Amino acid sequence: MKQVHVVAGVIRDARGRVLLARRTEGRDLAGLWEFPGGKVEPGESAEAALVRELREELGIEARVDAALIRVPQRYPDKRLLLDVRHIRFTGTPKGLDGQALAWAPPHTLAGYPMPPADRPVVAALLKPDRYLVTPAPEDDQAWLAALARALARGVRCVQLRAPGLDARRWSRLVAQAVALCREAGVETLLNGDAALAGRVGIGLHLRSAQLHQAGIGEAIAPLKAAGRSIGASCHDVQDLLQAERLGCDFAVLGPLLQTRTHPGAAGIGWDAFAAMRERVSLPVHAIGGLVSDDIGIARAHGAQGIAAIRGLWDAGGAAE
Ligand SMILES: Nc1nc2c([nH]c(=O)n2[C@@H]2O[C@H](COP(=O)(O)OP(=O)(O)OP(=O)(O)O)[C@@H](O)[C@H]2O)c(=O)[nH]1
Ligand SMILES: [Mg+2]
């Protein structure tokens, strides 16, 4: 299958709005909104290609800044690598190919119809790059204090998980944890228990085995209707495709490295991660032995970021 390397830019105005361009009639994906850019030509660097494309399509002089994310994406006719960079520029963008332009306030980005590869890009712009999964508590007060420290360090999305804990103790602890997270403005998802998630008014994180259970679509429908996030733990392409079919908001894929908690399972590694990621348009976190320092390599392989228990629980703690 044909492999194309495309570079695109995140171009912002002084108010922080992001520039989108609408693909013109007669091309693939016509009518969809995209980040301006185009194909890297043979022998050309990604940076040079992006400067050239933005000059040709918008009439601006661009300086290529930090990488945002590189999204591998499988389309029916080709394999795309969408390489997205932040841009600084001089000049006033104009639709020189006759394409419509829109300056989108960030929170409106998800409302524009876009190609499949752009969903992970929008998530990379808007959503947290670290997803904390809690370890099972030994002492409840110490666990709540550790959670509060993680929030203070800037964790913005938390999965509450404590397999095997006594149900009454856990629902008490969940209520306390949710109060802490709400106070910090942090998104919270509950592992596995749709009914409890519904009662406390938070999102749900599906275990991989739950993804394929009969009736799971009906079980999560009320949460989705209430606007709650649904995450999913995935180990292979079948899990990812099912998470996408169910309308999950994001997935977690791993184990990336071999971990202390799953010593038997060999890690899949970054190349396999990218090869599975390209089959869905979901934002996907990598999990398994990762720490905050791995966010850069994760983004380079199309990940939203990292998910971790130990790697995000103890400041500077050892990898899971
Ligand atoms: N520029 C851009 N292309 C994207 C995005 N998302 C995405 O799937 N693509 C795909 O990446 C490819 C980019 O090709 P393009 O048509 O813009 O290439 P180009 O500017 O060099 O123009 P041309 O080859 O039509 O002359 C298309 O298949 C397009 O659908 C995006 O956000 N920005
Ligand atoms: Mg283009």
Side-chain angles (χ1 to χ4, degrees):
M1 208 185 284
K2 177 171 69 169
Q3 177 102 46
V4 287
H5 184 184
V6 172
V7 279
V10 176
I11 299 168
R12 291 180 185 269
D13 70 4
R15 292 157 60 184
R17 297 180 304 180
V18 177
L19 186 65
L20 297 179
R22 191 153 189 251
R23 294 183 67 80
T24 47
E25 291 311 315
R27 308 162 75 208
D28 68 323
L29 306 168
L32 298 183
W33 293 88
E34 66 176 14
F35 296 90
K39 299 181 191 88
V40 179
E41 286 174 0
E44 196 180 32
S45 72
E47 289 79 7
L50 188 46
V51 169
R52 174 182 53 70
E53 287 286 342
L54 298 181
R55 195 182 287 141
E56 289 170 5
E57 294 183 354
L58 301 173
I60 59 173
E61 286 308 312
R63 221 185 74 207
V64 178
D65 225 332
L68 174 65
I69 188 170
R70 284 158 57 98
V71 181
Q73 188 75 50
R74 184 92 65 112
Y75 285 161
D77 57 327
K78 60 174 173 270
R79 299 175 68 184
L80 177 73
L81 179 64
L82 181 62
D83 188 344
V84 185
R85 312 290 181 93
H86 292 282
I87 294 295
R88 304 215 217 163
F89 70 100
T90 55
T92 305
K94 289 181 279 300
L96 297 181
D97 294 334
Q99 75 278 35
L101 300 181
W103 287 104
H107 71 276
T108 68
L109 283 171
Y112 287 82
M114 289 187 184
D118 292 69
R119 188 169 169 204
V121 178
V122 170
L125 278 173
L126 299 181
K127 299 284 190 167
D129 56 12
R130 287 166 292 167
Y131 183 33
L132 167 66
V133 185
T134 63
E138 286 166 22
D139 176 82
D140 291 359
Q141 290 315 312
W143 186 88
L144 287 167
L147 175 60
R149 286 196 299 277
L151 302 181
R153 285 197 304 275
V155 166
R156 283 290 163 270
C157 191
V158 175
Q159 180 194 145
L160 303 174
R161 178 177 179 270
L165 204 72
D166 168 75
R168 287 184 53 190
R169 180 177 162 202
W170 181 229
S171 52
R172 236 185 355 257
L173 207 45
V174 164
Q176 290 172 296
V178 169
L180 277 179
C181 290
R182 284 215 173 108
E183 202 177 315
V186 165
E187 169 150 47
T188 323
L189 291 83
L190 184 66
N191 181 279
D193 189 338
L196 182 55
R199 283 201 297 280
V200 289
I202 62 175
L204 176 68
H205 187 96
L206 293 167
R207 301 174 191 135
S208 56
Q210 290 179 299
L211 283 171
H212 305 281
Q213 278 169 8
I216 189 64
E218 292 72 40
I220 65 176
L223 294 169
K224 285 169 65 179
R228 311 274 177 248
S229 283
I230 310 288
S233 287
C234 297
H235 300 302
D236 55 31
V237 171
Q238 295 318 314
D239 290 348
L240 287 170
L241 291 170
Q242 176 64 0
E244 189 165 69
R245 269 195 292 272
L246 288 171
C248 292
D249 297 283
F250 67 93
V252 169
L253 177 63
L256 209 290
L257 308 177
Q258 198 167 37
T259 68
R260 228 199 295 165
T261 43
H262 301 81
I268 60 173
W270 287 115
D271 289 342
F273 179 92
M276 291 195 244
R277 204 245 76 72
E278 74 172 8
R279 303 291 300 277
V280 291
S281 80
L282 286 173
V284 186
H285 285 275
I287 193 167
L290 301 174
V291 296
S292 293
D293 285 348
D294 295 312
I295 291 169
I297 192 170
R299 282 282 169 95
H301 291 82
Q304 168 68 18
I306 62 147
I309 305 177
R310 298 183 66 91
L312 292 173
W313 187 245
D314 299 309
E320 180 189 325

